[in-house]
Amino acid sequence: PGGGGGGGGGGGSDSEALIAALTQALGGGGGEDLPVAYGLPYPVPPSSHAAFFDLAGPLVGLLVLFSLLLPVAAVLRALVAEKEWKLREALLIGGAGRGAYFSSLLLSHGAAFLLVALLSSSLIAPSCFAHSAPSLVRALFVLFALASLCFAFALAPFFSSARLAALVGPLAFFLTSQLFNLFERDGSLLEGEVRAKALASLLPAMAFYLGASQLAQQEGVQRGVSWSTMWEGDFPLAATLAILLLDAALYAAAGWYLDRAGRSLSQLPVRLATALRSLCSRPTPRRASRVALAPPDAPQRAEAAPPP
């Protein structure tokens, strides 16, 4: 309180005046018992666990997932449009090999995914993952972007309309992240369930959600994760990085194979819709009514019969 008095006497007089005022207000100066006051150090020592980081993992996963929805839609639209407008066939007829074609797609569209991953890690890591190794956090973001690009490659052969692919593809990519609710309780990641987490991590969005949650848990105790400690835990961060790399390889191979399948896959949704429509509109068979059939020579007999 008080601004007067620069020495200890001034501070003591201010404290005595404050105590006297509190005594007068609470006890009325009549000698009644006053509540016992306890002194606490200020500022308080840092807490051992920051509750914010219980929710930071899913929040970071959701933010990065939303930042990749537009690149996923752009990749799907470009791939299906090239197939729809027969541009790929023209390139292949002109002498371009499939390897060179897919390498150019990986480089051109991968640049956008890489840029999103680097910008996201540069903005998020200093504030949310300050105790973790920056290169490790950046590796997690980059591998997630690479796996998401390959996931889009694997989805493209199932579409024959570029507009439909740009709408349905990002929606499917977002829905794959909602399995995270099976592995969290009150916003924090559950322990154990290693096999279920490994299977769910075959979806790139789920793998990134689990990795970001592991980083957030270690940040909550002000420890972080480094290259030497990323192997710790029942489902460590190293497993998430390895599975993301495996996802990229699997979806790239699946996209290559499904693209060779050609037109049959793009017509698969149409064929399924046609089959369902035919099943729903098929008339129910009626029971044949029993009709007494006359013998074949009945008309001749009727004609030959004499009139009455």
Side-chain angles (χ1 to χ4, degrees):
S13 61
D14 292 340
S15 300
E16 291 174 0
L18 179 60
I19 292 174
L22 290 174
T23 303
Q24 182 68 25
L26 297 175
E32 292 86 348
D33 293 335
L34 296 176
V36 179
Y38 295 93
L40 293 175
Y42 185 82
V44 297
S47 59
S48 59
H49 178 75
F52 164 75
F53 288 98
D54 291 339
L55 302 174
L59 180 60
V60 170
L62 187 63
L63 289 176
V64 180
L65 181 69
F66 279 164
S67 65
L68 287 177
L69 288 180
L70 186 58
V72 167
V75 169
L76 286 171
R77 185 179 181 86
L79 290 175
V80 180
E82 289 181 0
K83 180 174 60 176
E84 189 176 5
W85 297 337
K86 307 297 182 181
L87 298 179
R88 182 187 307 181
E89 285 76 1
L91 288 175
L92 296 178
I93 292 173
R98 287 185 175 270
Y101 172 74
F102 282 103
S103 299
S104 65
L105 289 178
L106 181 63
L107 292 176
S108 59
H109 296 292
F113 281 79
L114 181 61
L115 181 61
V116 170
L118 293 178
L119 288 177
S120 301
S121 61
S122 301
L123 293 174
I124 295 175
S127 56
C128 293
F129 305 132
H131 297 86
S132 299
S135 58
L136 183 61
V137 178
R138 193 173 295 112
L140 176 64
F141 281 65
V142 170
L143 286 178
F144 174 51
L146 178 62
S148 302
L149 175 62
C150 296
F151 182 80
F153 280 165
L155 281 181
F158 291 95
F159 296 97
S160 57
S161 172
R163 182 176 300 178
L164 182 64
L167 293 176
V168 178
L171 179 61
F173 183 59
F174 171 74
L175 291 178
T176 58
S177 67
Q178 300 308 301
L179 294 178
F180 182 78
N181 297 323
L182 301 176
F183 304 102
E184 63 92 17
R185 180 177 300 168
D186 298 331
S188 59
L189 184 65
L190 295 176
E191 299 293 335
E193 300 183 2
V194 178
R195 293 184 179 179
K197 290 179 181 178
L199 288 176
S201 296
L202 293 177
L203 300 171
M206 277 300 304
F208 183 75
Y209 265 64
L210 293 174
S213 298
Q214 294 161 16
L215 282 174
Q217 281 186 339
Q218 297 301 321
E219 289 290 335
V221 295
Q222 300 181 0
R223 181 186 176 188
V225 181
S226 62
W227 290 100
S228 59
T229 60
M230 68 176 185
W231 303 95
E232 298 178 359
D234 55 349
F235 192 76
L237 184 62
T240 299
L241 297 177
I243 293 177
L244 278 174
L245 191 59
L246 177 63
D247 288 346
L250 286 179
Y251 285 114
W256 178 280
Y257 174 77
L258 294 176
D259 182 75
R260 299 297 294 267
R263 186 177 176 82
S264 58
L265 281 177
S266 62
Q267 296 297 325
L268 183 60
V270 179
R271 293 178 181 177
L272 289 177
T274 305
L276 290 176
R277 191 181 301 113
S278 63
L279 288 176
C280 295
S281 61
R282 179 179 296 177
T284 56
R286 298 179 180 178
R287 293 183 177 180
S289 57
R290 294 182 178 180
V291 180
L293 298 178
D297 54 345
Q300 290 79 1
R301 290 181 181 178
E303 293 175 359

